[in-house]
Amino acid sequence: MKISKNNQPMHDLPAVVLDLSINGLGIIRSLKQKGIKVYAYDVFSKYKKGKTLHAQCGPCPHPIFEEDKLLDHLIKTGGNLKRKAVLFAGSDDYVFFISKFREQLTEHFLFNMPDHSLIQSVLDKRQTYNLALKHNIPTPKTFFIEHPDQLEDIIADFVFPCILKPVFSADYRKRMNKKAIIIESASQLRTLYPFYAQFGELMIQEFIPGDDHCVYEIATLFNEHMDLLGVFSSQKLQQYPPIFGSGVLVLSKRNEELINLGVSFFKTLNFVGLAHAEYKIDPRDGILKFIEINARTTVSNSLAYASGIDFSYLYYLMATGQNPSKKLNQTEGIKWVHSPRYLLGFLEKRKKGSMNFGKWIKSFAGVKSFASFRFNDPMPFIRGVISDFKYAWKSRR
């Protein structure tokens, strides 16, 4: 990739985004604003909900259940493009797919990611936990249940409440749509474990107290020489569903301790490309405890963009060999909101008496970035509202 005569970046290579959720939508809009041609694909149900005017969109085979078909689809797509496209993954399923078939995909696409063994490790909670222990990263006490007979021994070593979680979260959520289950007592664990175990391998983890404000996130971009090109930290103000959900109100906030921990960990792992990690401050000892890591942008990536750290564009420039300038200083105090789900979370809190309408309205102060709403591209927001409220209604029933 060459730089133009006036020393401005070139945007002549297209981008292909695999994901039409909120995450993928943020990537698409960032690139579109730079004048980059974007093609976006996702499974049919997500394509119908998330298709946008800012990209040429289409459905694609499932990255887990239809691997061969998706590979053929992408090879055909790449072959029809005049030049190699920069390839983005907006979900863990697409990250794993690209990593697994990287040799075939590099013939048609440009992308940077860590070794496949590291990708496998961050998608397997057991291996992720072992990585944290190996590198002395503070993390919640965790046990993995390989056989039901281990349950009683684990119960004897645990203080309740605790958390029951899947080892492979993405695959598990397709079956149960649950990220984690709070277990209040040993008797409840004995009762619920057999039911949830039928949907996938489980782990039991220490429950860190504290509300959503205790959860912090760090996002980074490293080039192939492990030079840090971009870093951004944020604080979750509210999640939906509460405690274990995705952020629906997030604040741009620089946390030096988090940045030092996260950057050091990523460097130790040689985590090339995009990365995102979540930590939670334990109010019992004030220590940031590592929760999880992902090899992609976070759902609220448009908050980083609004705060001066445009990871999607930095990645595009890096992948096309344009040596982007480092973006290491963010604008603080900006809020990002996923308004439909934030409303659903408020309705739950109001029902429990933990939030009133006045407090909810005041929480919008500082909001400058929205997950899906745009005047020039309203349909992803409208379809998202309908989908979220339909799901909430079905869940209640």
Side-chain angles (χ1 to χ4, degrees), residues 95-114:
V95 167
F96 182 79
F97 174 86
I98 293 171
S99 179
K100 182 177 179 179
F101 296 101
R102 62 179 68 197
E103 290 187 12
Q104 297 95 318
L105 293 172
T106 50
E107 296 182 19
H108 300 283
F109 300 98
L110 301 170
F111 55 90
N112 288 57
M113 57 171 48

Side-chain angles (χ1 to χ4, degrees), residues 298-366:
T298 181
V299 173
S300 56
N301 68 75
S302 53
L303 173 61
Y305 172 81
S307 304
I309 316 294
D310 189 350
F311 283 103
S312 304
Y313 185 52
L314 284 172
Y315 184 82
Y316 176 91
L317 293 177
M318 182 186 75
T320 54
Q322 300 192 62
N323 301 316
S325 300
K326 295 179 179 181
K327 299 291 183 181
L328 308 179
N329 297 305
Q330 67 192 73
T331 301
E332 295 188 81
I334 296 174
K335 289 180 183 176
W336 172 94
V337 64
H338 190 344
S339 43
R341 296 187 180 183
Y342 185 41
L343 174 58
L344 290 170
F346 159 68
L347 293 175
E348 283 193 15
K349 288 192 171 186
R350 188 179 67 169
K351 187 176 180 180
K352 296 176 181 178
S354 58
M355 181 179 282
N356 57 41
F357 186 74
K359 186 177 180 181
W360 182 68
I361 290 296
K362 287 181 181 179
S363 68
F364 279 92

Side-chain angles (χ1 to χ4, degrees), residues 259-277:
I259 289 173
N260 290 335
L261 277 173
V263 168
S264 176
F265 191 26
F266 290 142
K267 279 188 174 181
T268 301
L269 297 177
N270 201 36
F271 215 111
V272 175
L274 294 162
H276 157 251

